[in-house]
Amino acid sequence: MTEHPATPNTATAPRSYGIDLLRGVACLSVVLFHFISRGVDSRWIPAAPLPSLEPMARYGYLGVHLFFMISGYVILLSALGRSPRAFVASRVSRLYPALWAGATITMLVTWTHGDPRFAVSWADWFWNMTLVPQYVGASFVDGAYWSLAVELQFYVVVWLALVARLESRLDQLLWAWLLLSLVDAIRPMYPVERWLIANWAPLFTIGAAAFLATRHGWTRPRILMVLTSVALMLWHAWREVTYVARSFRGAPPVFPIVATVLVAFVLLFLAISTGVLHVPKTRWATLPGKLTYPVYLVHQYAGYVVFTVLVENRLNPEVSLAIVFALVIGVATAIHHLVELPLAPVLRRWVAARRVATVTAA
């Protein structure tokens, strides 16, 4: 949910505006899930906006799965041909500026309202600023940030492959990762799910296989890799449905629909990422690439607080939701232009130049 498909080391690869558009679809799915389904079902917001859409919105959490497919593609695109340090510099510059702004805004809004369900301590805020609160047992500033922890772990896996200079063995590494995911599907193991994200590996692998196919062509093993990934994705999704259903007071998601949505996401992603479906450059195709990440960072807990205040002041739930969406887009736009654009290049140069400075001094 956090990456741009165009990167400095891939000058020969045209920017995929379809991937940007897919990122917007994934983000909108999650936002609708939080406000029309999960927020109401969990009683985090006091009124139900657009209740007729709830049977569809309850499956919006699967937008995160689409995000992970996209990451599998664009992270390999941004990593291959770079040094490990350059890869770290690109991730730091991409992730941290918006995170610092988004998490701080979320915390201030939730503190202002004084709702203990959403408020966190200053210590929690500090650890969220580092992007590693999950390693020290700190609470996430926003519940949606759990997916950032999964993304970060994927970056670590890719970084280790770069350090070990295993770029030429990516197909073998992906097969090994899928084997570990199969073992975890049969017998779930907390360590491999935490450190090697084995339960999410099929989604990242679908994206990675699509990237390798666009770079080197489709082969029977890569086609089999995608089919195996889809099968494992569905297996893990079946387990996940059981977990998600427990958290629903009302009607929970059902697996046949979950499977249908996920397969549709896979087919759409493969069609766009491999160029079968071409999306031209338009304002609506490029905008999600700029705003999806900051929208994701600020929409949930802060949005819940603003929505609650509006409804408690007797504003119509649908109007309140429209105002919240407009505010979220406005804040995300400000974060992109006032924080990301000026700060990201500075961070990238600083992280990348530290190695150069060390070598020069030696």
Side-chain angles (χ1 to χ4, degrees):
M1 71 209 67
T2 60
E3 315 308 327
H4 289 306
T7 54
N9 69 313
T10 55
T12 59
R15 184 184 184 94
S16 173
Y17 298 103
I19 292 291
D20 278 345
L21 195 58
L22 274 183
R23 187 180 289 107
V25 170
C27 185
L28 180 61
S29 298
V30 173
V31 172
L32 292 177
F33 168 71
H34 283 149
F35 278 93
I36 298 178
S37 181
R38 187 60 181 272
V40 178
D41 186 82
S42 300
R43 299 173 186 170
W44 289 335
I45 54 178
L50 304 172
S52 62
L53 295 182
E54 196 284 326
M56 178 177 63
R58 76 180 62 151
Y59 297 94
Y61 75 94
L62 297 172
V64 175
H65 299 63
L66 179 56
F67 271 131
F68 291 161
M69 292 181 214
I70 294 170
S71 286
Y73 181 95
V74 299
I75 292 303
L76 284 195
L77 178 64
S78 67
L80 296 188
R82 278 182 167 162
S83 68
R85 180 172 289 273
F87 174 69
V88 171
S90 72
R91 296 307 95 213
V92 167
S93 64
R94 177 59 180 147
L95 293 176
Y96 280 99
L99 174 69
W100 292 337
T104 302
I105 290 170
T106 296
M107 182 178 180
L108 291 177
V109 170
T110 55
W111 269 42
T112 299
H113 188 252
D115 192 327
R117 296 174 300 171
F118 306 133
V120 296
S121 68
W122 283 106
D124 290 327
W125 170 84
F126 169 80
W127 285 113
N128 276 259
M129 295 297 97
T130 68
L131 201 60
V132 295
Q134 66 276 13
Y135 295 152
V136 296
S139 298
F140 291 118
V141 168
D142 189 296
Y145 291 9
W146 72 266
S147 62
L148 299 183
V150 176
E151 289 273 358
L152 179 64
Q153 209 60 41
F154 177 54
Y155 302 160
V156 171
V157 171
V158 173
W159 177 79
L160 289 173
L162 292 176
V163 170
R165 300 183 178 182
L166 296 175
E167 295 96 320
S168 62
R169 298 181 178 274
L170 286 177
D171 287 276
Q172 295 92 324
L173 288 175
L174 291 172
W175 275 115
W177 203 15
L178 288 179
L179 177 60
L180 186 63
S181 181
L182 173 61
V183 173
D184 182 69
I186 296 171
R187 183 175 180 178
M189 296 173 287
Y190 176 76
V192 298
E193 291 189 354
R194 178 178 177 86
W195 301 108
L196 295 175
I197 48 174
N199 51 323
W200 300 110
L203 295 162
F204 290 110
T205 300
I206 290 170
F211 169 76
L212 292 175
T214 58
R215 175 71 60 96
H216 304 293
W218 283 106
T219 61
R220 288 183 180 178
R222 287 196 185 113
I223 294 173
L224 181 60
M225 181 185 295
V226 170
L227 294 176
T228 303
S229 297
V230 170
L232 284 171
M233 171 192 73
L234 295 176
W235 192 340
H236 283 286
W238 174 75
R239 286 177 48 206
E240 186 184 19
V241 164
T242 303
Y243 171 79
V244 170
R246 292 173 184 164
S247 65
F248 269 75
R249 290 185 172 92
V254 295
F255 179 70
I257 298 179
V258 167
T260 301
V261 173
L262 285 176
V263 171
F265 278 163
V266 170
L267 294 176
L268 183 60
F269 167 75
L270 290 175
I272 289 177
S273 63
T274 59
V276 173
L277 182 60
H278 174 68
V279 176
K281 180 181 179 180
T282 65
R283 175 181 177 85
W284 297 109
T286 58
L287 196 61
K290 301 174 183 177
L291 299 186
T292 295
Y293 183 38
V295 164
Y296 194 85
L297 290 171
V298 301
H299 80 275
Q300 190 182 14
Y301 284 2
Y304 284 165
V305 167
V306 174
F307 180 86
T308 298
V309 170
L310 293 174
V311 171
E312 288 177 347
N313 282 276
R314 300 186 178 182
L315 206 60
N316 177 276
E318 284 72 25
V319 174
S320 300
L321 184 63
I323 293 174
V324 169
F325 278 15
L327 287 174
V328 167
I329 294 296
V331 171
T333 301
I335 290 174
H336 176 68
H337 288 285
L338 302 179
V339 180
E340 285 189 296
L341 290 182
L343 190 54
V346 176
L347 275 177
R348 185 183 299 111
R349 288 194 298 269
W350 180 75
V351 175
R354 293 194 65 186
R355 174 64 178 171
V356 175
T358 301
V359 172
T360 302

